[in-house]
Amino acid sequence: MRPSRRRAGVVVLLGVLGLTLAALAFPGLLGLGQAAGGGQDRVVAGTKYGPLTEADRDFVVKVRAAGLWEYPLGELAMRRGTTPAVRTAGMHLVVGHAGLDALCRQIAPELGITLPNRASPQQEGFVATVDAREGKAFDAAAVHIMRVTHGQIFPVVAGIRATTRNTLVRRLADLANDTVLDHMTVLERTGLVGFDKVTFEQTGPGKLPAAKVTPPPPDPGERVLVLRPRPDLKLNTATPVPSPAH
């Protein structure tokens, strides 16, 4: 890694976030917890695929935003993970979010939803946090952050799937459910998940201001960023890897 790049990561970690790794993980991490609990009674558009609610719209945007930071974090894990299991987890993140991103980009115009081209400031901070570490510390930070965020989003996906009346949003929730389950499983197979700490941080009370967890809208006329598909990796993350029996 170039020294300037490392310094930039440390500046983001210490100067902007001012948080420890443990403090980075908390409910509402992806801005999705709020969508699950409310908004399904607030219809923002009528479409031929069924009513689109505030929660539905927020879900599509936040699935897109999740890929904008988890995809590059997966690429980092593929390149810099110190074990085959961490590198494999990175591959699953890249392939899974490329698939989710393709579906988000397909359904968003049909539903009149504007997609972001950048993740939220907090999410970009997650990537900088991991990027600033090396070796085993890199592995531990990447797996911990990803397992906490996936553990938080998993019940949110189920909530949207159970309540949405929009068939396109339901299709995205189906794919997200399988993809998140696959990602959780491969992260756990690294042997680096501390379940007590993960559970505590998934259910703790902390929250950041909305500006930190909201992805910025694209500039007028800005082209939609595409997360590059990786068929060369030969993975199907829409079919979750089964957890091993012990």
Side-chain angles (χ1 to χ4, degrees), residues 136-149:
K136 298 297 184 182
F138 170 90
D139 293 346
V143 170
H144 179 76
I145 286 178
M146 295 308 305
R147 180 56 181 80
V148 171
T149 57

Side-chain angles (χ1 to χ4, degrees), residues 25-195:
F26 54 80
L29 190 62
L30 302 178
L32 282 164
Q34 298 90 330
Q40 283 293 25
D41 58 339
R42 294 190 286 275
V43 175
V44 296
T47 79
K48 64 181 179 180
Y49 306 100
L52 182 74
T53 67
E54 187 175 65
D56 293 337
R57 181 182 61 190
D58 187 61
F59 179 69
V60 176
V61 169
K62 296 307 170 71
V63 170
R64 160 74 170 180
L68 294 175
W69 73 278
E70 293 177 19
Y71 185 102
L73 186 53
E75 291 184 314
L76 285 176
M78 288 171 58
R79 293 196 306 268
R80 294 168 50 196
T82 68
T83 69
V86 173
R87 294 191 292 272
T88 296
M91 293 167 58
H92 279 251
L93 290 171
V94 166
V95 172
H97 281 289
L100 286 170
D101 187 70
L103 184 53
C104 283
R105 288 184 286 105
Q106 178 184 338
I107 71 174
E110 296 286 335
L111 300 175
I113 296 174
T114 300
L115 296 176
N117 277 331
R118 287 184 57 186
S120 73
Q122 186 198 35
Q123 292 166 336
E124 291 180 339
F126 291 151
V127 180
T129 297
V130 178
D131 196 15
R133 287 164 166 74
E134 300 284 353
K136 298 297 184 182
F138 170 90
D139 293 346
V143 170
H144 179 76
I145 286 178
M146 295 308 305
R147 180 56 181 80
V148 171
T149 57
H150 281 75
Q152 289 181 329
I153 197 175
F154 197 44
V156 173
V157 174
I160 292 292
R161 176 60 181 82
T163 58
T164 184
R165 292 173 286 164
N166 188 284
T167 58
L168 292 186
V169 174
R170 193 176 303 137
R171 181 181 168 195
L172 179 62
D174 284 339
L175 181 59
N177 182 78
D178 291 344
T179 302
V180 172
L181 178 58
D182 173 81
H183 290 177
M184 290 172 63
T185 304
V186 294
L187 288 165
E188 290 159 2
R189 286 185 172 180
T190 66
L192 298 175
V193 175
F195 285 96

Side-chain angles (χ1 to χ4, degrees), residues 167-242:
T167 58
L168 292 186
V169 174
R170 193 176 303 137
R171 181 181 168 195
L172 179 62
D174 284 339
L175 181 59
N177 182 78
D178 291 344
T179 302
V180 172
L181 178 58
D182 173 81
H183 290 177
M184 290 172 63
T185 304
V186 294
L187 288 165
E188 290 159 2
R189 286 185 172 180
T190 66
L192 298 175
V193 175
F195 285 96
D196 289 344
K197 186 176 182 181
V198 164
T199 300
F200 174 78
E201 293 179 6
Q202 285 176 177
T203 57
K207 289 185 179 181
L208 283 181
K212 290 289 186 181
V213 297
T214 303
D219 293 329
E222 184 178 350
R223 295 181 63 180
V224 177
L225 178 69
V226 174
L227 299 184
R228 181 168 65 96
R230 292 294 304 271
D232 56 301
L233 296 180
K234 296 180 172 59
L235 291 175
N236 180 10
T237 59
T239 302
V241 175

